[in-house]
Amino acid sequence: VVTIPAVPRRRRMALKEISSNRCFGGLQKVFEHNSVELKCKMKFAVYLPPQAEGGKCPALYWLSGLTCTEQNFISKSGYQQAASEHGLVVIAPDTSPRGCNIKGEDDSWDFGTGAGFYVDATEDPWKTNYRMYSYVTEELPQLINANFPVDPQRMSIFGHSMGGHGALVCALKNPGKYKSVSAFAPICNPVQCPWGKKAFNGYLGPDQSKWKAYDATCLVKSYSGSQIDILIDQGKDDEFLSNGQLLPDNFIAACTEKKIPVVFRLQEGYDHSYYFIATFITDHIRHHAKYLNA
């Protein structure tokens, strides 16, 4: 008779493993859980580097852009090699609640499903489920810290487009929580761009003074927290740069005024795609490893 040690019920119920694949000596996994904040089933991806077998590693959170799931980053960016090399656990959540049966949630690609914008909604009918900010900054890290070999004191965050916006906002709203932050083609000033105006009006209501709490450019202007080094890569041939959705100049100007160090690299010939992300992902992992492994 083989006796299997009892796992506490709560923990066994908490996570359901969906997939696991060996990758650069580590494991790329996807899990599903019932989210308390979002009141629905959520998937997230976790890369466990080889170093995680022997002890606790730093945690690096990736936030994806509009229409993405947890799959895009893990299958397209090629980040695993650098994460393996630097011994980072990398966590990639989904971009919104799923299947909440809210009227209108699937009507457009830039609002509702796949477009949570990393805010806590205050408006009906979104406010019950659309709490991605609290999910990413509180619930998910607690879940990761409880179930994986990570050091809760060492975490950083990065992302792309809507997720770049999310990463900057999470870091600027929580001084000291993240050791470093970086972004690819972030939506830098959402209160001023069409995507942001649509999303914030829907999730946060018509009072634009409430929007500033989730705008990196506005947050920088009032930032008084610990020193934070920001790295941003932006493709020069990005259609969303030229049509005024990203507005990095506004963010850079605000950082310069507040003497917040930001490395902004305009990359000649690159667009908004994962080909662009894959090209520079190793630089970003290295940026975070410098602070996480210090």
Side-chain angles (χ1 to χ4, degrees):
V1 179
V2 179
T3 52
I4 297 163
V7 178
R9 186 172 167 77
R10 184 196 63 77
R11 241 169 107 169
R12 192 170 69 235
M13 295 296 289
L15 294 180
K16 178 186 172 191
E17 188 172 294
I18 303 293
S19 64
S20 179
N21 300 91
R22 178 69 64 185
C23 191
F24 289 101
L27 288 166
Q28 178 64 68
K29 293 175 178 277
V30 175
F31 291 90
E32 187 177 69
H33 74 115
N34 288 309
S35 167
V36 177
E37 287 288 356
L38 309 179
K39 298 174 182 59
C40 67
K41 278 198 168 98
M42 289 294 284
K43 289 192 181 109
F44 63 88
V46 179
Y47 180 70
L48 299 168
Q51 296 87 332
E53 287 173 32
K56 293 193 171 184
C57 297
L60 176 56
Y61 289 81
W62 168 268
L63 305 182
S64 288
L66 289 162
T67 75
C68 289
T69 68
E70 80 291 337
Q71 286 294 319
N72 301 68
F73 180 65
I74 68 172
S75 58
K76 290 181 171 180
S77 73
Y79 79 91
Q80 291 94 343
Q81 185 168 5
S84 169
E85 187 185 320
H86 293 283
L88 306 183
V89 171
V90 181
I91 303 99
D94 203 344
T95 53
S96 77
R98 300 270 166 184
C100 297
N101 299 314
I102 300 169
K103 191 179 184 315
E105 69 183 353
D106 296 325
D107 287 359
S108 54
W109 65 276
D110 56 0
F111 184 79
T113 303
F117 266 86
Y118 306 104
V119 303
D120 285 349
T122 53
E123 296 297 294
D124 287 323
W126 311 100
K127 64 183 184 187
T128 305
N129 305 95
Y130 278 68
R131 298 181 51 79
M132 286 299 291
Y133 173 74
S134 287
Y135 177 73
V136 162
T137 58
E138 300 297 334
E139 182 178 2
L140 189 58
Q142 284 164 18
L143 193 70
I144 297 299
N145 294 346
N147 289 284
F148 299 96
V150 298
D151 176 355
Q153 300 307 313
R154 292 186 292 158
M155 59 194 259
S156 290
I157 193 162
F158 65 153
H160 170 233
S161 197
M162 174 183 74
H165 139 78
L168 293 171
V169 164
C170 289
L172 292 166
K173 281 172 83 71
N174 298 279
K177 188 180 184 95
Y178 302 98
K179 300 285 183 202
S180 50
V181 61
S182 75
F184 292 85
I187 303 171
C188 288
N189 197 185
V191 304
Q192 300 281 2
C193 81
W195 279 339
K197 287 176 182 175
K198 178 178 178 176
F200 288 2
N201 194 53
Y203 296 136
L204 305 173
D207 179 358
Q208 297 193 10
S209 66
K210 291 182 178 152
W211 299 3
K212 293 177 180 175
Y214 295 105
D215 182 301
T217 300
C218 300
L219 288 166
V220 154
K221 290 174 183 173
S222 59
Y223 185 80
S224 58
S226 51
Q227 165 100 14
I228 190 158
D229 267 342
I230 304 167
L231 169 64
I232 296 174
D233 271 315
Q234 171 64 60
K236 198 174 179 183
D237 289 2
D238 186 329
E239 62 181 301
F240 302 114
L241 176 67
S242 48
N243 73 7
Q245 293 283 18
L246 306 177
L247 305 173
D249 293 352
N250 298 358
F251 181 71
I252 304 306
C255 286
T256 305
E257 198 163 310
K258 287 288 286 191
K259 298 187 169 53
I260 289 172
V262 56
V263 173
F264 178 77
R265 309 192 303 185
L266 195 60
Q267 303 288 7
E268 193 79 45
Y270 287 90
D271 58 19
H272 199 70
S273 72
Y274 266 88
Y275 296 111
F276 157 61
I277 296 171
T279 305
F280 300 105
I281 194 70
T282 300
D283 290 351
H284 285 247
I285 300 268
R286 209 177 282 138
H287 167 78
H288 295 293
K290 184 171 90 179
Y291 294 97
L292 290 169
N293 290 328

